[in-house]
Amino acid sequence: APHFDTNMAGYLSASAYGKIKVRVMKLNRHPDGTHEPREMTVNTLLWGDFAESWTTGSNAKIVATETQKNTIYQLAKTHTLSSPEEFGMYVCEHILKTYDHITKVKVSVWEDPWGRIHMDGKPHKHAFTKTTSERRTAEITQSRGSAPHVVGGITNLIVLKTTQSSFEKFIGHPGSYMPKDPSGWTTLGEAEDRSFSTAVESTWVYATPNAPFNDCYAKVKNAFIEKFAGPPDTGVPSPSAQQTGYQMTLAALEACAPHILDISIATPNLHYMPLHSQSVPGHMHAPNADVFFPIDGPSGYITSTASRRSKL
């Protein structure tokens, strides 16, 4: 068991600082007149030999957070922001090369995608719209003398299936591990068919810092959607949100092999409650079960991780 000396005075055991919410857009202008905007939000976090800033108030070794903000904009001048992962590594490399007392850097990046406008099936050269709710993410951590550790991700990928989702034989119902809930507090009834919606959150660990990041992101996203929805004419049953989420991660691992080591997913429920679940008289129910009311919470939250690493 850990030893605690209750008589020991407190001391600084960890410290780091950085800049958050640095928004940047790079407009890449191609020779054929086509424009490509890339918009990102960047956070930086630094570790190093600057403990005296906490213990004595000295700023002698502090790289101002305003300087860190300026660094993002100046580096964007010589980078296309081709992917959050590549730009994050570019920032890490610069900071470690420039400041010899910095020992570790973490750069977190969120990309807000711009979708090119199409008119009569023809892509517009320089007009765009925000067409999606999801954000692509990346987190790059690099210690001095080591290769960058790169994590890709996606957040707020909102999906919905309006049938083929069920929730049956859980604790408090026949066929479960405990047909009678000892607490007596299970009030939820079984559902043979219901809608299923979630805002997918996922992160994955790249095997190397040289992975095809854009290709992997597209493959992971497509694998998630295909496993969630199933074939367009027949769909796919979802007996539990847990199984669906796990199948999504396995499909993503396979789609981006061998570049991903681990992938984690969280699927918070977005509930659309049938009208009859409201406390209203029966004559106010929807007889065809086709009217629902969305709720923000409380909601379920399911997570899992699939790995390619050895279990040993």
Side-chain angles (χ1 to χ4, degrees):
H3 175 70
F4 300 98
D5 185 348
T6 56
N7 296 315
M8 179 182 290
Y11 64 96
L12 182 70
S13 58
S15 59
Y17 76 103
K19 196 75 165 180
I20 65 171
K21 299 180 182 179
V22 182
R23 297 185 61 189
V24 58
M25 188 179 83
K26 178 65 177 280
L27 181 56
N28 299 297
R29 299 181 178 93
H30 301 297
D32 66 353
T34 300
H35 291 181
E36 181 190 1
R38 304 300 293 260
E39 182 180 349
M40 299 182 183
T41 301
V42 183
N43 291 358
T44 58
L45 193 61
L46 311 183
W47 289 259
D49 178 22
F50 39 59
E52 66 270 20
S53 185
W54 279 261
T55 58
T56 71
S58 170
N59 294 318
K61 292 185 176 180
I62 291 296
V63 180
T65 64
E66 187 73 3
T67 305
Q68 296 177 48
K69 180 204 74 175
N70 293 339
T71 296
I72 302 303
Y73 293 125
Q74 293 304 304
L75 292 179
K77 291 161 60 175
T78 54
H79 199 282
T80 62
L81 275 65
S82 48
S83 73
E85 294 87 351
E86 289 167 302
F87 186 60
M89 286 191 289
Y90 193 48
V91 175
C92 284
E93 179 185 23
H94 171 84
I95 292 175
L96 289 171
K97 184 192 301 183
T98 305
Y99 306 105
D100 60 9
H101 65 295
I102 303 298
T103 57
K104 186 172 76 170
V105 181
K106 180 166 73 174
V107 177
S108 304
V109 187
W110 294 261
E111 180 173 11
D112 289 300
W114 283 100
R116 190 174 301 278
I117 289 175
H118 288 69
M119 294 184 175
D120 298 324
K122 184 178 180 180
H124 201 288
K125 285 193 172 184
H126 54 259
F128 307 86
T129 184
K130 289 286 180 76
T131 56
T132 59
S133 62
E134 74 268 11
R135 300 180 84 190
R136 180 176 174 180
T137 68
E139 183 178 279
I140 298 85
T141 307
Q142 185 171 10
S143 297
R144 185 169 298 281
S146 300
H149 178 262
V150 184
V151 178
I154 188 170
T155 185
N156 204 41
L157 174 62
I158 299 176
V159 290
L160 165 70
K161 61 196 302 181
T162 53
T163 188
Q164 290 191 309
S165 174
S166 58
F167 189 43
E168 300 175 292
K169 297 181 180 179
F170 52 94
I171 284 181
H173 292 279
S176 72
Y177 176 65
M178 292 181 173
K180 184 176 177 59
D181 182 352
S183 74
W185 294 341
T186 294
T187 58
L188 183 66
E190 297 177 285
E192 182 180 357
D193 188 70
R194 61 177 185 171
S195 64
F196 176 20
S197 181
T198 183
V200 178
E201 305 165 9
S202 180
T203 58
W204 50 89
V205 179
Y206 283 105
T208 72
N210 302 310
F213 299 116
N214 289 337
D215 184 58
C216 275
Y217 175 80
K219 287 180 176 177
V220 167
K221 180 180 172 181
N222 288 338
F224 282 173
I225 291 172
E226 289 175 3
K227 275 297 177 182
F228 177 85
D233 293 331
T234 60
V236 61
S238 176
S240 74
Q242 287 85 342
Q243 185 202 46
T244 297
Y246 178 52
Q247 291 299 318
M248 290 163 69
T249 59
L250 290 179
L253 269 182
E254 184 63 30
C256 205
H259 303 294
I260 292 178
L261 295 176
D262 308 293
I263 183 165
S264 299
I265 195 170
T267 52
N269 292 134
L270 302 179
H271 289 302
Y272 292 84
M273 308 301 292
L275 191 59
H276 66 256
S277 63
Q278 277 191 322
S279 298
V280 296
H283 72 278
M284 295 175 63
H285 293 176
N288 297 321
D290 55 2
V291 178
F292 303 84
F293 61 98
I295 62 172
D296 293 328
S299 59
Y301 189 82
I302 298 101
T303 69
S304 63
T305 299
S307 304
R308 284 190 176 277
R309 305 175 198 253
S310 170
K311 295 182 179 180
L312 300 179

